[in-house]
Amino acid sequence: MVSSGHPTSSCTEPVETDPRRPKPGSGLYVVATPIGNLGDISERAREVLASADLVLAEDRRMAARLLQHIGVRTTVANYHEHNAARARPDILRRLAEGQVIALTSDAGTPLISDPGYRLVDEALEAGVAVRAVPGPSAVIAALSVSGLPTDRFMFVGFPPPKQAARRSFLAEVAGIAATLVFYESPRRLPDCLRDMAAVLGDRPAAVARELTKLHEEVRRGGLPDLADHYTAAGPPKGEIVIIVGPPAAAETDWAAIDRELADRLTGESLRDAVDAVAAGSGAPRKAVYRRALALKNGDGGA
């Protein structure tokens, strides 16, 4: 995720790799970088960036700022959606020669809304070792402070910019039983939240911006309330992550289930009736079986 964060800590001493520690083996290293606070760079990321023969970056200026901050002088080359197809053959050649190449994004973990996927895929296809150097991610950072369920979530990236396409996109993911995580531009945030409220309903949500930076903010509430707030306040500044809670579980209509069971039990076996009603209603089979057994024994619904 692109970021223009400013360092909140200072580090000017050059990185010196531990002579007792071997240089990273040749291959492609997918290196996570800070999403705002440069103090979040990991020690392993520092060592890989210092030892690499080449650092690939979406924006050389952003990468140079980070490398200067940690005292690293590794050569940096642009690798972004506009030059990726042209750049990949040379990168793959260098990897085949045994070089150490670090793939970074402007902020966060590479391949999350950036063009690194094809390079990783082609490197693996060529038999090159690809290693992860994990670290910051705006998706995980936003989820961790959202107050919404995190046991199951889906990252769906940027919604389309036009309303009709955006609403169609939201309708496609509306039924997913998981917390949804979106990226969005500040300029489109009010319109996007209004469409989310219209398509997804009054779900709990959070808007996280400027994560790890000086003006970090997480605003929580229902989608209609958040839409009203940002419509009145206007587009905010900074990088935006929207987190939307999962749809509420539908209530089971047990009365309708009992009626269908009673109808089916007049001409079907207990097992067949239970299987058909459980499949059609989505209710737990064991619960349907108990109710069917009670009906068959003349006890009414369970």
Side-chain angles (χ1 to χ4, degrees), residues 119-138:
L119 176 59
V120 169
D121 182 51
E122 292 187 23
L124 291 170
E125 185 69 23
V128 172
V130 178
R131 300 178 175 90
V133 183
S137 164

Side-chain angles (χ1 to χ4, degrees), residues 153-176:
F153 64 89
M154 181 177 181
F155 173 64
V156 290
F158 284 91
K162 302 294 185 181
Q163 184 183 67
R166 182 166 55 228
R167 289 198 172 199
S168 177
F169 170 82
L170 292 171
E172 290 178 4
V173 300
I176 296 173

Side-chain angles (χ1 to χ4, degrees), residues 25-253:
S26 64
L28 179 65
Y29 288 77
V30 182
V31 182
T33 57
I35 59 176
N37 189 322
L38 297 185
D40 290 337
I41 187 76
S42 73
E43 188 60 33
R44 181 166 174 241
R46 289 161 57 102
E47 291 189 352
V48 169
L49 292 172
S51 302
D53 298 296
L54 179 68
V55 172
L56 302 176
E58 290 180 89
D59 185 334
R60 291 177 61 185
R61 296 167 298 179
M62 296 288 292
R65 183 186 306 172
L66 174 63
L67 295 184
Q68 182 180 22
H69 173 73
I70 62 175
V72 168
R73 299 182 179 86
T74 307
T75 300
V76 180
N78 280 329
Y79 185 78
H80 47 67
E81 61 180 338
H82 302 297
N83 77 337
R86 298 192 308 274
R88 274 197 302 275
D90 184 61
I91 295 168
L92 292 168
R93 175 188 60 77
R94 297 179 69 154
L95 288 167
E97 292 172 352
Q99 293 190 23
V100 174
I101 295 182
L103 173 65
T104 69
S105 70
D106 281 351
T109 301
L111 278 69
I112 308 300
S113 285
D114 80 19
Y117 160 72
R118 291 194 180 279
L119 176 59
V120 169
D121 182 51
E122 292 187 23
L124 291 170
E125 185 69 23
V128 172
V130 178
R131 300 178 175 90
V133 183
S137 164
V139 172
I140 302 303
L143 273 169
S144 69
V145 296
S146 68
L148 296 168
T150 57
D151 56 330
R152 180 184 295 179
F153 64 89
M154 181 177 181
F155 173 64
V156 290
F158 284 91
K162 302 294 185 181
Q163 184 183 67
R166 182 166 55 228
R167 289 198 172 199
S168 177
F169 170 82
L170 292 171
E172 290 178 4
V173 300
I176 296 173
T179 295
L180 302 176
V181 185
F182 304 82
Y183 285 164
E184 186 54 289
S185 75
R187 179 175 57 83
R188 291 196 297 264
L189 179 63
D191 290 342
C192 183
L193 288 171
R194 286 197 296 271
D195 287 340
M196 286 181 170
V199 176
L200 303 179
D202 190 6
R203 297 194 197 180
V207 174
R209 69 178 190 90
E210 295 291 88
L211 288 169
T212 77
K213 303 175 191 176
L214 181 63
H215 299 293
E216 176 179 312
E217 177 187 59
V218 181
R219 183 172 291 273
R220 305 170 182 86
L223 281 172
D225 292 336
L226 290 171
D228 289 344
H229 170 79
Y230 286 105
T231 297
K237 295 181 179 180
E239 302 297 324
I240 302 293
V241 184
I242 306 171
I243 311 95
V244 179
E251 293 188 7
T252 302
D253 188 345

